[in-house]
Amino acid sequence: MTDAADDGGGEAISALLHETRQFPAPEAFAKQANAQPGIYEEASADPEAWWAAQAENLTWDRHWDKVLEWDLPFAKWFVGGRINAAYNCVDRHVEAGRGDKVAFHWVGEPEGDNRTITYSDLKDMVCKAANGLVELGVKAGDRIAIYMPMIPEAVVAMLACARLGAPHSVIFGGFSSEALSGRILDSDCRVVITADGGYRRGAASALKPNVDEALERCPDVRSVLVVRRTHQDVAWTEGRDIWWHELVDRQPPEHEAQSFDAEQPLYIMYTSGTTAKPKGILHTTGGYLVHTSTTHRLVFDLKPETDIFWTAADIGWVTGHSYIVYGPLANCATSVMYEGTPDAGGRDRWWKIVEDYKVSILYTAPTTIRTLMKWGEEFPESHDLSSLRLLGSVGEPINPEAWMWYRKYVGRDNCPIVDTWWQTETGGIMISPLPGITATKPGAAMKPLPGIGAAVVDNDGNEVGDGEGGYLVLTDPWPGMLRGIWGDPERYRETYWSRFPGYYFAGDGAKKDEDGDLWLLGRVDDVMNISGHRISTTEIEHALVGHPSVAEAAVVGASDPTTGQAIVAFVTVKGDVVAVGEEGEALVVALREQVAITIGPIAKPRQILLTPELPKTRSGKIMRRLLRDVAEHRELGDVTTLMDPTIVQMLDDQMNAPGAADEA
Ligand code: WTA
């Protein structure tokens, strides 16, 4: 824990807690809702039995003997059960006569580039891909890296891996080759599935060259399966690279799914922690599927026969895994999957998609809502959005203004909003209103879901009272919980289970309001949240000091009206480096590029300040608290413990000087 813990944006917090508006669920919605009053009591009377009842909605090859085996902090759910995730997401729906139901309305970024994929189509595609992977020698337990754009083959690749019991590790397409190779090496992936490129903001961007570069550092990768998406020219390594269409298209569309132990690893998802090295969060099969399908049904009130569900996220993040792929497919939902950015083809692109496909449930991140809000309500107003009946938010605290705008201009004042708190580690939603039951408040995630235990505790681990703040902890094991950090059980215990003995430490600050409802307040560790993307300050500092001119770097997250937080870096250069005038400007450009190369363009600092020194305490500790004050143009806090108080004053002047505008 760093000094970040004590200043989670005090003013914003008290503003939030003076929020008095409340929005009860519309009566008509409440009547037809999947979640009915009584569900909380029912679950809390016997949470294990409640989760077991939810698990009956899946198709098990062998029933479990025991619901939970809890050897803190190691959990096993549905012990002895056997299940296949892909069978549950695809085959069983076809066998039940729902093969003609649309699984995905896929919308490509270039207009008119659309595909409709039924559950039967999906079954054939997944079986063929699974057969293709078998031909490449893939066996249960092998790890497979997936580095793809938002195209149907990305989902097919994930399900083909799941079908074979081969855990996938999806790496967001915005990560650099260096980030990619680090992840491939950490989990020792031997096969990579990618594409020549993808469409982003109206242009074809390349993916394969990043893979080629990454694999120079990964000699054990033996096969690279490449989907042709953009028809760009790509370099080719004979014997290693193989076109998806050449391998997969000629496979038979039948493949018999074997069942696996409920605890068979399903996937690894890398996420930022407080060190420079990302953590490989491990999820397993049975409990994860139970958690994602149950929360998808209850939180989004899914009616599989009539709803059109759209999670506007990338499959490169956990939101895409749980609520584009596993939850919706296990529930036989019809989803929209969109490849591009919200403004591709015009600032009303999203609303056009909602209108064209009659989307009824929309799930997205506050950062996008704020961007849409900035563009203006004329865009949603120019389309018929009357199909929408429920709206969701995820990834960062949603400010009341954005919540109200979402409600008014997107939901036309009659859609419940579910603000869902969860993490890569939790696998699925943990804290959220239940539509039809909860009277919502703009900006509050409200209550732990049925079957979930959460609390807010003070520094000593004691639960705080209503109207007080502290740290969010999870008090009981849950089915979708991470089963560990890939290859590092000790780090798992240390990171999540040592801060408050017996409790899972989420790394988030939270407050309970006077009614005992929960407000999430952002991270209390070195993790920043940039447009809903988790990035650690340490990772960026590490990237910056990797540049030959840099002596030392300190990175802070400064609040930003659109992206939630923005990255601000303070850098000192080595003795002989000129860091002023044109040379200084060129260095700043080079440093931003350095971060893009090491991590990815999403991690580029908004601002880099070159400074002769960083503010340090007498014991040599960098005072990040003061750097945050500087970055947020706040009055400087207590500087008396500094070795040299003039440094921070100088930085403050530099930050506030004319021309110190943001570079991004
Ligand atoms: C933040 C994304 C406030 C939080 C699913 C958490 C939120 C981190 C919310 C996890 C929310 C997510 N309100 N904060 N509704 N949802 N967060 O792993 O800080 O990418 O710890 O998972 O996002 O980010 P991750």
mmCIF file of all heavy atoms in Angstrom, residues 143-144 158 161-162 165-170 264-270 280-285 288 292 315 317-323 326 422-428 480 483-484 486:
data_model
loop_
_atom_site.group_PDB
_atom_site.id
_atom_site.type_symbol
_atom_site.label_atom_id
_atom_site.label_comp_id
_atom_site.label_asym_id
_atom_site.label_seq_id
_atom_site.Cartn_x
_atom_site.Cartn_y
_atom_site.Cartn_z
ATOM 1 N N ARG A 143 -1.410 -24.146 -23.100
ATOM 2 C CA ARG A 143 -1.859 -22.761 -23.121
ATOM 3 C C ARG A 143 -1.752 -22.183 -24.533
ATOM 4 O O ARG A 143 -0.774 -22.412 -25.241
ATOM 5 C CB ARG A 143 -1.027 -21.889 -22.167
ATOM 6 C CG ARG A 143 -1.537 -21.938 -20.753
ATOM 7 C CD ARG A 143 -1.034 -23.130 -19.986
ATOM 8 N NE ARG A 143 0.418 -23.141 -19.912
ATOM 9 C CZ ARG A 143 1.132 -24.241 -19.706
ATOM 10 N NH1 ARG A 143 0.557 -25.405 -19.540
ATOM 11 N NH2 ARG A 143 2.441 -24.178 -19.663
ATOM 12 N N ILE A 144 -2.774 -21.404 -24.911
ATOM 13 C CA ILE A 144 -2.833 -20.838 -26.260
ATOM 14 C C ILE A 144 -3.033 -19.336 -26.154
ATOM 15 O O ILE A 144 -3.960 -18.877 -25.480
ATOM 16 C CB ILE A 144 -4.044 -21.417 -27.021
ATOM 17 C CG1 ILE A 144 -4.082 -22.929 -26.851
ATOM 18 C CG2 ILE A 144 -4.064 -20.937 -28.463
ATOM 19 C CD1 ILE A 144 -3.854 -23.738 -28.028
ATOM 20 N N MET A 158 -11.566 -18.867 -28.831
ATOM 21 C CA MET A 158 -11.686 -19.074 -27.381
ATOM 22 C C MET A 158 -12.460 -20.352 -27.079
ATOM 23 O O MET A 158 -12.059 -21.178 -26.255
ATOM 24 C CB MET A 158 -12.404 -17.882 -26.730
ATOM 25 C CG MET A 158 -11.557 -16.610 -26.685
ATOM 26 S SD MET A 158 -12.555 -15.133 -26.304
ATOM 27 C CE MET A 158 -12.906 -15.381 -24.569
ATOM 28 N N CYS A 161 -10.583 -23.579 -27.864
ATOM 29 C CA CYS A 161 -9.627 -23.886 -26.784
ATOM 30 C C CYS A 161 -10.371 -24.514 -25.603
ATOM 31 O O CYS A 161 -9.971 -25.550 -25.071
ATOM 32 C CB CYS A 161 -8.906 -22.626 -26.314
ATOM 33 S SG CYS A 161 -7.780 -21.938 -27.519
ATOM 34 N N ALA A 162 -11.475 -23.867 -25.215
ATOM 35 C CA ALA A 162 -12.252 -24.353 -24.067
ATOM 36 C C ALA A 162 -12.744 -25.776 -24.318
ATOM 37 O O ALA A 162 -12.749 -26.616 -23.424
ATOM 38 C CB ALA A 162 -13.435 -23.425 -23.805
ATOM 39 N N GLY A 165 -10.103 -28.137 -23.539
ATOM 40 C CA GLY A 165 -9.507 -28.041 -22.202
ATOM 41 C C GLY A 165 -8.147 -27.361 -22.228
ATOM 42 O O GLY A 165 -7.341 -27.525 -21.317
ATOM 43 N N ALA A 166 -7.904 -26.580 -23.281
ATOM 44 C CA ALA A 166 -6.625 -25.868 -23.416
ATOM 45 C C ALA A 166 -6.849 -24.412 -23.022
ATOM 46 O O ALA A 166 -7.505 -23.675 -23.752
ATOM 47 C CB ALA A 166 -6.132 -25.956 -24.850
ATOM 48 N N PRO A 167 -6.346 -23.970 -21.870
ATOM 49 C CA PRO A 167 -6.639 -22.602 -21.430
ATOM 50 C C PRO A 167 -6.138 -21.550 -22.421
ATOM 51 O O PRO A 167 -5.013 -21.634 -22.900
ATOM 52 C CB PRO A 167 -5.907 -22.478 -20.094
ATOM 53 C CG PRO A 167 -5.118 -23.731 -19.905
ATOM 54 C CD PRO A 167 -5.600 -24.739 -20.884
ATOM 55 N N HIS A 168 -7.009 -20.594 -22.711
ATOM 56 C CA HIS A 168 -6.571 -19.504 -23.592
ATOM 57 C C HIS A 168 -6.072 -18.337 -22.764
ATOM 58 O O HIS A 168 -6.475 -18.145 -21.618
ATOM 59 C CB HIS A 168 -7.678 -19.063 -24.551
ATOM 60 C CG HIS A 168 -9.009 -18.758 -23.938
ATOM 61 N ND1 HIS A 168 -9.250 -17.612 -23.206
ATOM 62 C CD2 HIS A 168 -10.181 -19.447 -23.967
ATOM 63 C CE1 HIS A 168 -10.516 -17.610 -22.819
ATOM 64 N NE2 HIS A 168 -11.107 -18.715 -23.244
ATOM 65 N N SER A 169 -5.205 -17.580 -23.396
ATOM 66 C CA SER A 169 -4.730 -16.342 -22.795
ATOM 67 C C SER A 169 -4.934 -15.272 -23.854
ATOM 68 O O SER A 169 -4.155 -15.173 -24.798
ATOM 69 C CB SER A 169 -3.250 -16.491 -22.426
ATOM 70 O OG SER A 169 -2.679 -15.233 -22.159
ATOM 71 N N VAL A 170 -6.029 -14.534 -23.739
ATOM 72 C CA VAL A 170 -6.318 -13.510 -24.742
ATOM 73 C C VAL A 170 -5.557 -12.249 -24.358
ATOM 74 O O VAL A 170 -5.616 -11.804 -23.206
ATOM 75 C CB VAL A 170 -7.829 -13.216 -24.835
ATOM 76 C CG1 VAL A 170 -8.104 -12.146 -25.895
ATOM 77 C CG2 VAL A 170 -8.608 -14.482 -25.168
ATOM 78 N N GLN A 264 -10.868 -27.569 -14.138
ATOM 79 C CA GLN A 264 -9.951 -27.471 -15.275
ATOM 80 C C GLN A 264 -9.722 -25.988 -15.604
ATOM 81 O O GLN A 264 -10.682 -25.230 -15.754
ATOM 82 C CB GLN A 264 -10.580 -28.175 -16.486
ATOM 83 C CG GLN A 264 -9.807 -28.041 -17.786
ATOM 84 C CD GLN A 264 -8.592 -28.959 -17.847
ATOM 85 O OE1 GLN A 264 -8.412 -29.821 -16.978
ATOM 86 N NE2 GLN A 264 -7.759 -28.765 -18.840
ATOM 87 N N PRO A 265 -8.457 -25.551 -15.722
ATOM 88 C CA PRO A 265 -8.215 -24.145 -16.104
ATOM 89 C C PRO A 265 -8.932 -23.795 -17.409
ATOM 90 O O PRO A 265 -8.861 -24.552 -18.368
ATOM 91 C CB PRO A 265 -6.700 -24.080 -16.280
ATOM 92 C CG PRO A 265 -6.176 -25.145 -15.366
ATOM 93 C CD PRO A 265 -7.195 -26.253 -15.435
ATOM 94 N N LEU A 266 -9.648 -22.683 -17.403
ATOM 95 C CA LEU A 266 -10.369 -22.244 -18.598
ATOM 96 C C LEU A 266 -9.580 -21.146 -19.308
ATOM 97 O O LEU A 266 -9.425 -21.171 -20.519
ATOM 98 C CB LEU A 266 -11.761 -21.727 -18.209
ATOM 99 C CG LEU A 266 -12.646 -21.214 -19.340
ATOM 100 C CD1 LEU A 266 -12.983 -22.313 -20.349
ATOM 101 C CD2 LEU A 266 -13.947 -20.615 -18.792
ATOM 102 N N TYR A 267 -9.097 -20.204 -18.523
ATOM 103 C CA TYR A 267 -8.273 -19.171 -19.163
ATOM 104 C C TYR A 267 -7.387 -18.441 -18.162
ATOM 105 O O TYR A 267 -7.592 -18.512 -16.951
ATOM 106 C CB TYR A 267 -9.128 -18.186 -19.956
ATOM 107 C CG TYR A 267 -10.022 -17.244 -19.193
ATOM 108 C CD1 TYR A 267 -9.535 -16.047 -18.639
ATOM 109 C CD2 TYR A 267 -11.388 -17.498 -19.079
ATOM 110 C CE1 TYR A 267 -10.377 -15.164 -17.988
ATOM 111 C CE2 TYR A 267 -12.233 -16.614 -18.430
ATOM 112 C CZ TYR A 267 -11.715 -15.448 -17.881
ATOM 113 O OH TYR A 267 -12.543 -14.563 -17.243
ATOM 114 N N ILE A 268 -6.421 -17.757 -18.766
ATOM 115 C CA ILE A 268 -5.541 -16.865 -18.007
ATOM 116 C C ILE A 268 -5.765 -15.483 -18.597
ATOM 117 O O ILE A 268 -5.885 -15.346 -19.813
ATOM 118 C CB ILE A 268 -4.069 -17.271 -18.195
ATOM 119 C CG1 ILE A 268 -3.840 -18.709 -17.721
ATOM 120 C CG2 ILE A 268 -3.121 -16.310 -17.466
ATOM 121 C CD1 ILE A 268 -2.552 -19.310 -18.243
ATOM 122 N N MET A 269 -5.877 -14.487 -17.750
ATOM 123 C CA MET A 269 -6.037 -13.122 -18.248
ATOM 124 C C MET A 269 -5.046 -12.259 -17.475
ATOM 125 O O MET A 269 -5.094 -12.208 -16.246
ATOM 126 C CB MET A 269 -7.483 -12.691 -17.995
ATOM 127 C CG MET A 269 -7.747 -11.230 -18.123
ATOM 128 S SD MET A 269 -8.812 -10.896 -19.539
ATOM 129 C CE MET A 269 -7.590 -10.471 -20.751
ATOM 130 N N TYR A 270 -4.154 -11.621 -18.196
ATOM 131 C CA TYR A 270 -3.140 -10.803 -17.526
ATOM 132 C C TYR A 270 -3.718 -9.451 -17.147
ATOM 133 O O TYR A 270 -4.446 -8.838 -17.924
ATOM 134 C CB TYR A 270 -1.901 -10.653 -18.420
ATOM 135 C CG TYR A 270 -1.109 -11.928 -18.415
ATOM 136 C CD1 TYR A 270 -1.410 -12.963 -19.285
ATOM 137 C CD2 TYR A 270 -0.119 -12.133 -17.458
ATOM 138 C CE1 TYR A 270 -0.732 -14.166 -19.234
ATOM 139 C CE2 TYR A 270 0.573 -13.326 -17.396
ATOM 140 C CZ TYR A 270 0.258 -14.335 -18.281
ATOM 141 O OH TYR A 270 0.930 -15.526 -18.202
ATOM 142 N N GLY A 280 -0.898 -13.097 -14.139
ATOM 143 C CA GLY A 280 -1.749 -13.983 -14.937
ATOM 144 C C GLY A 280 -2.866 -14.528 -14.060
ATOM 145 O O GLY A 280 -2.683 -15.463 -13.299
ATOM 146 N N ILE A 281 -4.051 -13.913 -14.163
ATOM 147 C CA ILE A 281 -5.178 -14.333 -13.327
ATOM 148 C C ILE A 281 -5.778 -15.615 -13.918
ATOM 149 O O ILE A 281 -6.131 -15.651 -15.096
ATOM 150 C CB ILE A 281 -6.258 -13.222 -13.288
ATOM 151 C CG1 ILE A 281 -5.653 -11.911 -12.763
ATOM 152 C CG2 ILE A 281 -7.463 -13.661 -12.466
ATOM 153 C CD1 ILE A 281 -5.049 -11.987 -11.378
ATOM 154 N N LEU A 282 -5.862 -16.632 -13.065
ATOM 155 C CA LEU A 282 -6.328 -17.937 -13.547
ATOM 156 C C LEU A 282 -7.792 -18.172 -13.195
ATOM 157 O O LEU A 282 -8.189 -18.053 -12.028
ATOM 158 C CB LEU A 282 -5.473 -19.044 -12.919
ATOM 159 C CG LEU A 282 -5.929 -20.472 -13.237
ATOM 160 C CD1 LEU A 282 -5.750 -20.791 -14.717
ATOM 161 C CD2 LEU A 282 -5.179 -21.485 -12.379
ATOM 162 N N HIS A 283 -8.586 -18.518 -14.208
ATOM 163 C CA HIS A 283 -9.974 -18.916 -13.988
ATOM 164 C C HIS A 283 -10.183 -20.355 -14.426
ATOM 165 O O HIS A 283 -9.561 -20.803 -15.391
ATOM 166 C CB HIS A 283 -10.935 -17.987 -14.744
ATOM 167 C CG HIS A 283 -11.086 -16.655 -14.081
ATOM 168 N ND1 HIS A 283 -11.750 -16.507 -12.880
ATOM 169 C CD2 HIS A 283 -10.633 -15.422 -14.422
ATOM 170 C CE1 HIS A 283 -11.710 -15.225 -12.523
ATOM 171 N NE2 HIS A 283 -11.034 -14.549 -13.435
ATOM 172 N N THR A 284 -11.052 -21.042 -13.690
ATOM 173 C CA THR A 284 -11.338 -22.425 -14.044
ATOM 174 C C THR A 284 -12.769 -22.532 -14.572
ATOM 175 O O THR A 284 -13.441 -21.515 -14.766
ATOM 176 C CB THR A 284 -11.094 -23.353 -12.839
ATOM 177 O OG1 THR A 284 -11.953 -22.948 -11.763
ATOM 178 C CG2 THR A 284 -9.632 -23.279 -12.388
ATOM 179 N N THR A 285 -13.242 -23.739 -14.807
ATOM 180 C CA THR A 285 -14.402 -23.896 -15.679
ATOM 181 C C THR A 285 -15.772 -23.836 -14.989
ATOM 182 O O THR A 285 -16.585 -22.965 -15.300
ATOM 183 C CB THR A 285 -14.277 -25.219 -16.459
ATOM 184 O OG1 THR A 285 -12.979 -25.248 -17.075
ATOM 185 C CG2 THR A 285 -15.339 -25.316 -17.534
ATOM 186 N N TYR A 288 -16.801 -20.687 -12.699
ATOM 187 C CA TYR A 288 -16.797 -19.479 -13.532
ATOM 188 C C TYR A 288 -18.051 -19.423 -14.417
ATOM 189 O O TYR A 288 -18.709 -18.387 -14.536
ATOM 190 C CB TYR A 288 -15.526 -19.442 -14.383
ATOM 191 C CG TYR A 288 -15.503 -18.310 -15.385
ATOM 192 C CD1 TYR A 288 -15.157 -17.020 -15.000
ATOM 193 C CD2 TYR A 288 -15.844 -18.521 -16.724
ATOM 194 C CE1 TYR A 288 -15.156 -15.977 -15.911
ATOM 195 C CE2 TYR A 288 -15.840 -17.491 -17.643
ATOM 196 C CZ TYR A 288 -15.492 -16.211 -17.234
ATOM 197 O OH TYR A 288 -15.492 -15.187 -18.152
ATOM 198 N N THR A 292 -20.849 -16.506 -14.195
ATOM 199 C CA THR A 292 -21.117 -15.578 -15.304
ATOM 200 C C THR A 292 -22.528 -15.770 -15.846
ATOM 201 O O THR A 292 -23.222 -14.794 -16.148
ATOM 202 C CB THR A 292 -20.095 -15.733 -16.444
ATOM 203 O OG1 THR A 292 -20.007 -17.114 -16.824
ATOM 204 C CG2 THR A 292 -18.720 -15.258 -16.014
ATOM 205 N N ILE A 315 -13.048 -8.207 -26.430
ATOM 206 C CA ILE A 315 -12.828 -9.522 -25.817
ATOM 207 C C ILE A 315 -11.432 -9.637 -25.205
ATOM 208 O O ILE A 315 -11.140 -10.598 -24.506
ATOM 209 C CB ILE A 315 -13.049 -10.709 -26.774
ATOM 210 C CG1 ILE A 315 -12.202 -10.505 -28.015
ATOM 211 C CG2 ILE A 315 -14.504 -10.948 -27.107
ATOM 212 C CD1 ILE A 315 -11.546 -11.764 -28.437
ATOM 213 N N TRP A 317 -10.431 -7.972 -22.827
ATOM 214 C CA TRP A 317 -10.555 -7.688 -21.399
ATOM 215 C C TRP A 317 -11.552 -8.651 -20.780
ATOM 216 O O TRP A 317 -12.328 -9.302 -21.476
ATOM 217 C CB TRP A 317 -11.030 -6.245 -21.171
ATOM 218 C CG TRP A 317 -10.184 -5.235 -21.864
ATOM 219 C CD1 TRP A 317 -10.520 -4.539 -22.988
ATOM 220 C CD2 TRP A 317 -8.861 -4.822 -21.509
ATOM 221 N NE1 TRP A 317 -9.483 -3.696 -23.338
ATOM 222 C CE2 TRP A 317 -8.463 -3.858 -22.460
ATOM 223 C CE3 TRP A 317 -7.977 -5.162 -20.478
ATOM 224 C CZ2 TRP A 317 -7.209 -3.228 -22.417
ATOM 225 C CZ3 TRP A 317 -6.741 -4.545 -20.435
ATOM 226 C CH2 TRP A 317 -6.371 -3.587 -21.395
ATOM 227 N N VAL A 318 -11.587 -8.675 -19.472
ATOM 228 C CA VAL A 318 -12.427 -9.667 -18.799
ATOM 229 C C VAL A 318 -13.916 -9.435 -19.095
ATOM 230 O O VAL A 318 -14.704 -10.372 -19.175
ATOM 231 C CB VAL A 318 -12.143 -9.695 -17.282
ATOM 232 C CG1 VAL A 318 -12.763 -8.504 -16.568
ATOM 233 C CG2 VAL A 318 -12.629 -10.999 -16.662
ATOM 234 N N THR A 319 -14.312 -8.184 -19.272
ATOM 235 C CA THR A 319 -15.725 -7.900 -19.563
ATOM 236 C C THR A 319 -16.166 -8.641 -20.827
ATOM 237 O O THR A 319 -17.261 -9.190 -20.891
ATOM 238 C CB THR A 319 -15.943 -6.385 -19.724
ATOM 239 O OG1 THR A 319 -15.461 -5.741 -18.545
ATOM 240 C CG2 THR A 319 -17.405 -6.043 -19.908
ATOM 241 N N GLY A 320 -15.294 -8.661 -21.808
ATOM 242 C CA GLY A 320 -15.595 -9.394 -23.032
ATOM 243 C C GLY A 320 -15.660 -10.897 -22.794
ATOM 244 O O GLY A 320 -16.522 -11.587 -23.339
ATOM 245 N N HIS A 321 -14.744 -11.415 -21.984
ATOM 246 C CA HIS A 321 -14.762 -12.856 -21.697
ATOM 247 C C HIS A 321 -16.087 -13.264 -21.045
ATOM 248 O O HIS A 321 -16.720 -14.221 -21.442
ATOM 249 C CB HIS A 321 -13.626 -13.222 -20.730
ATOM 250 C CG HIS A 321 -12.284 -13.338 -21.404
ATOM 251 N ND1 HIS A 321 -11.771 -12.386 -22.227
ATOM 252 C CD2 HIS A 321 -11.351 -14.323 -21.358
ATOM 253 C CE1 HIS A 321 -10.577 -12.761 -22.656
ATOM 254 N NE2 HIS A 321 -10.294 -13.945 -22.142
ATOM 255 N N SER A 322 -16.464 -12.518 -20.009
ATOM 256 C CA SER A 322 -17.602 -12.948 -19.196
ATOM 257 C C SER A 322 -18.942 -12.553 -19.790
ATOM 258 O O SER A 322 -19.914 -13.287 -19.640
ATOM 259 C CB SER A 322 -17.481 -12.362 -17.782
ATOM 260 O OG SER A 322 -16.289 -12.843 -17.180
ATOM 261 N N TYR A 323 -19.010 -11.378 -20.475
ATOM 262 C CA TYR A 323 -20.329 -10.902 -20.915
ATOM 263 C C TYR A 323 -20.446 -10.672 -22.426
ATOM 264 O O TYR A 323 -21.460 -10.135 -22.878
ATOM 265 C CB TYR A 323 -20.741 -9.677 -20.085
ATOM 266 C CG TYR A 323 -20.838 -10.063 -18.606
ATOM 267 C CD1 TYR A 323 -19.869 -9.648 -17.691
ATOM 268 C CD2 TYR A 323 -21.850 -10.918 -18.158
ATOM 269 C CE1 TYR A 323 -19.918 -10.051 -16.353
ATOM 270 C CE2 TYR A 323 -21.907 -11.326 -16.830
ATOM 271 C CZ TYR A 323 -20.945 -10.887 -15.936
ATOM 272 O OH TYR A 323 -20.996 -11.298 -14.621
ATOM 273 N N TYR A 326 -18.759 -16.037 -22.442
ATOM 274 C CA TYR A 326 -19.249 -17.164 -21.644
ATOM 275 C C TYR A 326 -20.646 -16.992 -21.045
ATOM 276 O O TYR A 326 -21.473 -17.897 -21.150
ATOM 277 C CB TYR A 326 -18.218 -17.531 -20.577
ATOM 278 C CG TYR A 326 -16.981 -18.134 -21.213
ATOM 279 C CD1 TYR A 326 -15.774 -17.431 -21.285
ATOM 280 C CD2 TYR A 326 -17.035 -19.394 -21.794
ATOM 281 C CE1 TYR A 326 -14.658 -17.983 -21.906
ATOM 282 C CE2 TYR A 326 -15.928 -19.951 -22.408
ATOM 283 C CZ TYR A 326 -14.732 -19.247 -22.465
ATOM 284 O OH TYR A 326 -13.640 -19.796 -23.080
ATOM 285 N N TRP A 422 -16.930 -5.119 -10.418
ATOM 286 C CA TRP A 422 -16.223 -6.403 -10.375
ATOM 287 C C TRP A 422 -14.827 -6.215 -10.914
ATOM 288 O O TRP A 422 -14.425 -5.089 -11.209
ATOM 289 C CB TRP A 422 -17.006 -7.502 -11.095
ATOM 290 C CG TRP A 422 -17.332 -7.270 -12.547
ATOM 291 C CD1 TRP A 422 -18.163 -6.305 -13.047
ATOM 292 C CD2 TRP A 422 -16.869 -8.023 -13.660
ATOM 293 N NE1 TRP A 422 -18.240 -6.426 -14.406
ATOM 294 C CE2 TRP A 422 -17.465 -7.471 -14.816
ATOM 295 C CE3 TRP A 422 -16.030 -9.134 -13.815
ATOM 296 C CZ2 TRP A 422 -17.225 -7.974 -16.100
ATOM 297 C CZ3 TRP A 422 -15.805 -9.638 -15.080
ATOM 298 C CH2 TRP A 422 -16.393 -9.055 -16.209
ATOM 299 N N GLN A 423 -14.074 -7.277 -11.028
ATOM 300 C CA GLN A 423 -12.672 -7.200 -11.448
ATOM 301 C C GLN A 423 -12.312 -8.437 -12.276
ATOM 302 O O GLN A 423 -13.001 -9.451 -12.198
ATOM 303 C CB GLN A 423 -11.739 -7.218 -10.239
ATOM 304 C CG GLN A 423 -12.051 -6.248 -9.144
ATOM 305 C CD GLN A 423 -11.090 -6.413 -7.974
ATOM 306 O OE1 GLN A 423 -11.041 -7.467 -7.347
ATOM 307 N NE2 GLN A 423 -10.342 -5.370 -7.674
ATOM 308 N N THR A 424 -11.187 -8.339 -12.966
ATOM 309 C CA THR A 424 -10.646 -9.513 -13.659
ATOM 310 C C THR A 424 -10.603 -10.690 -12.687
ATOM 311 O O THR A 424 -10.948 -11.819 -13.028
ATOM 312 C CB THR A 424 -9.213 -9.202 -14.155
ATOM 313 O OG1 THR A 424 -9.271 -8.029 -14.973
ATOM 314 C CG2 THR A 424 -8.650 -10.357 -14.961
ATOM 315 N N GLU A 425 -10.200 -10.414 -11.470
ATOM 316 C CA GLU A 425 -10.036 -11.462 -10.475
ATOM 317 C C GLU A 425 -11.350 -12.094 -10.041
ATOM 318 O O GLU A 425 -11.381 -13.256 -9.653
ATOM 319 C CB GLU A 425 -9.357 -10.886 -9.220
ATOM 320 C CG GLU A 425 -7.903 -10.483 -9.407
ATOM 321 C CD GLU A 425 -7.730 -9.053 -9.912
ATOM 322 O OE1 GLU A 425 -8.697 -8.488 -10.485
ATOM 323 O OE2 GLU A 425 -6.629 -8.500 -9.730
ATOM 324 N N THR A 426 -12.429 -11.314 -10.042
ATOM 325 C CA THR A 426 -13.686 -11.870 -9.524
ATOM 326 C C THR A 426 -14.413 -12.693 -10.587
ATOM 327 O O THR A 426 -15.343 -13.418 -10.252
ATOM 328 C CB THR A 426 -14.637 -10.780 -8.988
ATOM 329 O OG1 THR A 426 -15.114 -9.992 -10.091
ATOM 330 C CG2 THR A 426 -13.971 -9.883 -7.955
ATOM 331 N N GLY A 427 -14.016 -12.554 -11.845
ATOM 332 C CA GLY A 427 -14.595 -13.364 -12.913
ATOM 333 C C GLY A 427 -15.945 -12.874 -13.393
ATOM 334 O O GLY A 427 -16.255 -12.959 -14.574
ATOM 335 N N GLY A 428 -16.766 -12.387 -12.486
ATOM 336 C CA GLY A 428 -18.092 -11.898 -12.848
ATOM 337 C C GLY A 428 -18.513 -10.797 -11.899
ATOM 338 O O GLY A 428 -17.795 -10.444 -10.947
ATOM 339 N N GLY A 480 -16.965 -17.675 -9.200
ATOM 340 C CA GLY A 480 -16.143 -17.184 -10.301
ATOM 341 C C GLY A 480 -14.786 -16.662 -9.864
ATOM 342 O O GLY A 480 -14.052 -16.091 -10.664
ATOM 343 N N ARG A 483 -8.551 -18.532 -9.268
ATOM 344 C CA ARG A 483 -8.012 -19.665 -8.522
ATOM 345 C C ARG A 483 -6.536 -19.458 -8.200
ATOM 346 O O ARG A 483 -5.918 -20.299 -7.561
ATOM 347 C CB ARG A 483 -8.197 -20.959 -9.301
ATOM 348 C CG ARG A 483 -9.661 -21.304 -9.579
ATOM 349 C CD ARG A 483 -10.491 -21.371 -8.301
ATOM 350 N NE ARG A 483 -11.760 -22.071 -8.525
ATOM 351 C CZ ARG A 483 -12.926 -21.494 -8.751
ATOM 352 N NH1 ARG A 483 -13.018 -20.171 -8.773
ATOM 353 N NH2 ARG A 483 -14.011 -22.214 -8.944
ATOM 354 N N GLY A 484 -5.976 -18.362 -8.675
ATOM 355 C CA GLY A 484 -4.592 -18.060 -8.350
ATOM 356 C C GLY A 484 -3.977 -17.178 -9.400
ATOM 357 O O GLY A 484 -4.654 -16.711 -10.316
ATOM 358 N N TRP A 486 -1.068 -17.272 -12.204
ATOM 359 C CA TRP A 486 -0.372 -18.316 -12.941
ATOM 360 C C TRP A 486 1.091 -18.426 -12.478
ATOM 361 O O TRP A 486 1.829 -17.447 -12.515
ATOM 362 C CB TRP A 486 -0.429 -18.044 -14.452
ATOM 363 C CG TRP A 486 0.175 -19.176 -15.224
ATOM 364 C CD1 TRP A 486 1.444 -19.240 -15.742
ATOM 365 C CD2 TRP A 486 -0.434 -20.434 -15.524
ATOM 366 N NE1 TRP A 486 1.644 -20.443 -16.351
ATOM 367 C CE2 TRP A 486 0.501 -21.203 -16.234
ATOM 368 C CE3 TRP A 486 -1.705 -20.974 -15.257
ATOM 369 C CZ2 TRP A 486 0.222 -22.494 -16.696
ATOM 370 C CZ3 TRP A 486 -1.984 -22.258 -15.714
ATOM 371 C CH2 TRP A 486 -1.030 -23.002 -16.417
#
